[in-house]
């Protein structure tokens, strides 16, 4: 199932930043975000399951789809939130989660998004002197994760906090 923006008052950004449970809350609290959905993107299997993706064999990454109001929130601000919540220099995954399914990516839909992502990465590299491992890729199908993964931090706050603390985020 492909995530799409519903109207001109809504845009869509898709970011992979390791465990999707940990990437969802920072976007949910940002004014101008209408909805977030956790799921899988970038792979070769249609409608993958968590078990398939977590095996690291499908090519998918755990990701978050962010529906937002571009009149209230810029794509550049979304990139800032994304980079503030990941380790952009780790090519093997994020924090304790290692494997291709936990690597970072920005899925772009147009040249403006690509240019903004390239500028953000160039800024990080200039500031740190290190190569950013986050890739920029064309947006492809996004498959929502199973319902128990959606808003996990709200449904299971104690387990989520234990995981987040234990993960090193």
């Amino acid at each position: 199932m492909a995530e799409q923006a519903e109207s001109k008052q809504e845009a869509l950004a898709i970011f992979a930043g390791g465990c999707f449970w940990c990437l969802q809350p920072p976007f949910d609290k940002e004014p101008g975000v209408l909805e977030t959905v956790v799921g899988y993107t970038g792979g070769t299997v249609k409608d993958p399951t968590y078990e398939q993706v977590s095996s690291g064999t499908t090519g998918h990454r755990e990701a978050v789809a962010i529906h937002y109001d571009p009149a209230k929130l810029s794509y550049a601000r979304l990139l800032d939130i994304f980079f503030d919540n990941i380790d952009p220099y780790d090519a093997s995954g994020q924090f304790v989660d290692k494997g291709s399914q936990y690597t970072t990516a920005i899925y772009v839909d147009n040249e403006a998004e690509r240019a903004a992502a390239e500028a953000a990465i160039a800024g990080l590299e200039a500031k740190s002197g290190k190569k950013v491992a986050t890739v920029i890729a064309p947006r492809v199908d996004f498959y929502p994760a199973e319902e128990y993964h959606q808003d996990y931090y709200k449904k299971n706050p104690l387990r989520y906090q234990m995981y987040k603390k234990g993960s090193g985020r």
Side-chain angles (χ1 to χ4, degrees):
M1 173 183 158
E3 285 287 310
Q4 300 182 96
E6 296 297 319
S7 70
K8 289 187 184 229
Q9 290 81 31
E10 183 179 321
L12 176 66
I14 298 178
F15 302 129
C19 173
F20 49 35
W21 290 349
C22 294
L23 204 53
Q24 191 173 30
F27 289 107
D28 277 349
K29 67 182 179 185
E30 186 68 19
V33 169
L34 306 171
E35 176 187 29
T36 59
V37 178
V38 298
Y40 318 110
T41 195
T44 57
V45 175
K46 283 193 160 295
D47 295 314
T49 65
Y50 176 74
E51 288 74 22
Q52 289 173 310
V53 173
S54 65
S55 74
T57 61
T58 67
H60 290 88
R61 290 181 174 97
E62 287 192 13
V64 62
I66 304 128
H67 297 265
Y68 68 101
D69 181 343
K72 296 179 180 174
L73 181 60
S74 71
Y75 189 76
R77 174 66 185 133
L78 292 173
L79 288 167
D80 288 343
I81 295 166
F82 172 67
F83 282 118
D84 284 348
N85 285 278
I86 66 166
D87 175 355
Y89 310 105
D90 189 343
S92 64
Q94 289 294 286
F95 307 96
V96 298
D97 295 316
K98 301 301 182 191
S100 60
Q101 68 273 32
Y102 297 115
T103 59
T104 60
I106 301 165
Y107 291 93
V108 298
D109 195 41
N110 55 55
E111 284 308 309
E113 289 179 357
R114 178 174 294 284
E118 288 172 351
I121 288 172
L124 285 171
E125 289 178 342
K127 184 177 180 181
S128 69
K130 296 192 277 186
K131 175 93 173 104
V132 168
T134 302
V135 299
I136 301 170
R139 189 177 304 160
V140 293
D141 285 343
F142 177 92
Y143 301 96
E146 296 81 354
E147 184 55 36
Y148 70 93
H149 287 298
Q150 305 299 329
D151 299 313
Y152 188 83
Y153 73 102
K154 292 177 185 175
K155 293 175 184 172
N156 299 287
L158 183 58
R159 291 184 96 170
Y160 168 72
Q161 286 301 326
M162 289 173 55
Y163 169 78
K164 183 178 175 189
K165 185 176 181 175
S167 75
R169 281 192 184 253

